[in-house]
Amino acid sequence: MIRDDDVPAWWQRLGLPGLIDIHTHFMPARVMVAVWRYFDAAEKHYGVAWPVHYRGSDAERVATLRALGVRRFTALVYPHKPGMAESLNAWARDFAAVTPDCVPSGKFFPEPSALRYVREAIDAGTGVFKVHVQVGGFDPRDELLDPVWGLLAEAGVPVVVHCGSGPLPGRHTGPGPFGAVLDAHPRLTAVIAHCGAPEFAEHLALAERHPNVHLDTTMVGTDFMNRLAPVPGDVVRRLGELRDRVVLGTDFPNIPYAFAEQLAALERFGLGDNWLRAVCWQNGARLLGSP
Ligand SMILES: [Zn+2]
């Protein structure tokens, strides 16, 4: 198993200039503390311990990513009630302004102001959005979101959507509700988080049906995740066929293991070096812009 110290040699061997990680979390300190408190009680919530591996300050966590060779990353936050998203978007823009390797990251919630503040965020340079269907507790088909999906589709700005039913199912999780959004907005550049775990096959089918739908690798194939949602062999084969639409994501820093374990998991799929190059660099560069 490679360790974090080995990560630069890992991507150098592939001839890459580094890594691009589309699924990382930075957020205002008080929000991050609340998230860590939730993971500290993970046995109660998820039935499994989830000791967050990377704590410390924003500066320390950014330095960790840079030492690993992550050249571009995101600051994904997901509001769970109305009235939060707009200020989080402003926070993420300020964070990216002083952290040039971080893509300005946005979010939204079904509320009457959503279309206005998403448009403003795009105009101000926001390069990726995040939606978490279970934590948000809303239906992605909510009529207040319909024009937002349309705007994102037209702008070609990627949106990372956690719609799988893991680690916890929600009223609107699973491939059905978000699949209906894709039927209404088939050009949407969506990135389905965690490959849609645990409904891998159904979410892969969405990517197979819609040419702008991607899947992020976040936690997929790691020993930790394999105990909760193992990846079927047929899914691995289909991930190989979708090479240009699978993109590296890790959930850094809120993972219960070292970053390097994600790379080891991808290598274990046995899909070859060209697949690893596409996933760990080329596809992320296409979605987020080349560093
Ligand atoms: Zn995440």
Side-chain angles (χ1 to χ4, degrees):
M1 178 73 85
I2 68 167
R3 297 171 313 131
D4 280 4
D5 288 346
D6 306 322
V7 167
W10 189 88
W11 50 257
Q12 280 160 16
R13 184 192 71 75
L14 292 168
L16 296 178
L19 302 168
I20 297 178
D21 187 339
I22 202 169
H23 193 137
T24 57
H25 295 290
F26 288 89
M27 46 191 92
R30 70 193 151 74
V31 183
M32 192 64 114
V33 165
V35 168
W36 287 345
R37 210 180 296 128
Y38 186 86
F39 282 120
D40 285 342
E43 283 191 82
K44 190 172 79 198
H45 302 303
Y46 299 145
V48 53
W50 195 303
V52 169
H53 195 84
Y54 300 95
R55 303 220 183 189
S57 67
D58 283 350
E60 285 167 323
R61 281 177 273 113
V62 168
T64 298
L65 285 178
R66 290 175 180 162
L68 290 162
V70 178
R71 303 280 181 244
R72 210 139 173 71
F73 52 90
T74 56
L76 304 183
V77 186
Y78 31 86
H80 58 276
K81 54 184 186 209
M84 287 175 77
E86 190 169 5
S87 64
L88 288 169
N89 291 349
W91 178 90
R93 284 201 298 277
D94 291 345
F95 182 75
V98 294
T99 316
D101 29 4
C102 182
V103 182
S105 308
K107 44 244 102 210
F108 51 87
F109 195 83
E111 52 194 333
S113 53
L115 180 62
R116 174 191 54 77
Y117 65 67
V118 168
R119 183 178 284 126
E120 287 171 4
I122 292 172
D123 289 346
T126 296
V128 64
F129 285 81
K130 169 74 186 279
V131 164
H132 196 306
V133 171
Q134 181 260 323
V135 173
F138 57 79
D139 190 328
R141 296 165 295 191
D142 191 301
E143 62 179 23
L144 286 166
L145 294 182
D146 189 59
V148 176
W149 298 122
L151 174 64
L152 291 171
E154 201 167 306
V157 177
V159 54
V160 178
V161 181
H162 183 137
C163 50
S165 299
L168 290 178
R171 272 183 64 201
H172 311 290
T173 59
F178 189 63
V181 170
L182 289 170
D183 287 337
H185 301 280
R187 288 167 51 228
L188 186 68
T189 304
V191 181
I192 295 176
H194 309 279
C195 288
E199 300 108 328
F200 294 111
E202 295 85 347
H203 286 99
L204 259 70
L206 296 179
E208 287 157 354
R209 194 153 71 230
H210 302 287
N212 294 337
V213 173
H214 299 67
L215 304 141
D216 86 30
T217 66
T218 305
M219 302 187 80
V220 176
T222 61
D223 290 340
F224 181 85
M225 180 92 147
N226 279 343
R227 286 192 287 272
L228 304 170
V231 188
D234 183 57
V235 163
V236 173
R237 181 187 61 74
R238 287 162 74 190
L239 288 172
E241 288 168 1
L242 286 166
R243 181 177 87 183
D244 297 331
R245 257 115 37 76
V246 182
V247 56
L248 176 67
T250 62
D251 246 344
F252 176 93
N254 299 333
I255 37 178
Y257 48 76
F259 181 98
E261 290 200 28
Q262 184 71 64
L263 303 178
L266 298 180
E267 199 162 19
R268 270 200 305 269
F269 287 156
L271 295 170
D273 287 353
N274 282 338
W275 188 84
L276 292 172
R277 289 184 190 102
V279 171
C280 295
W281 183 267
Q282 291 150 5
N283 298 339
R286 198 181 62 242
L287 289 166
L288 300 177
S290 239

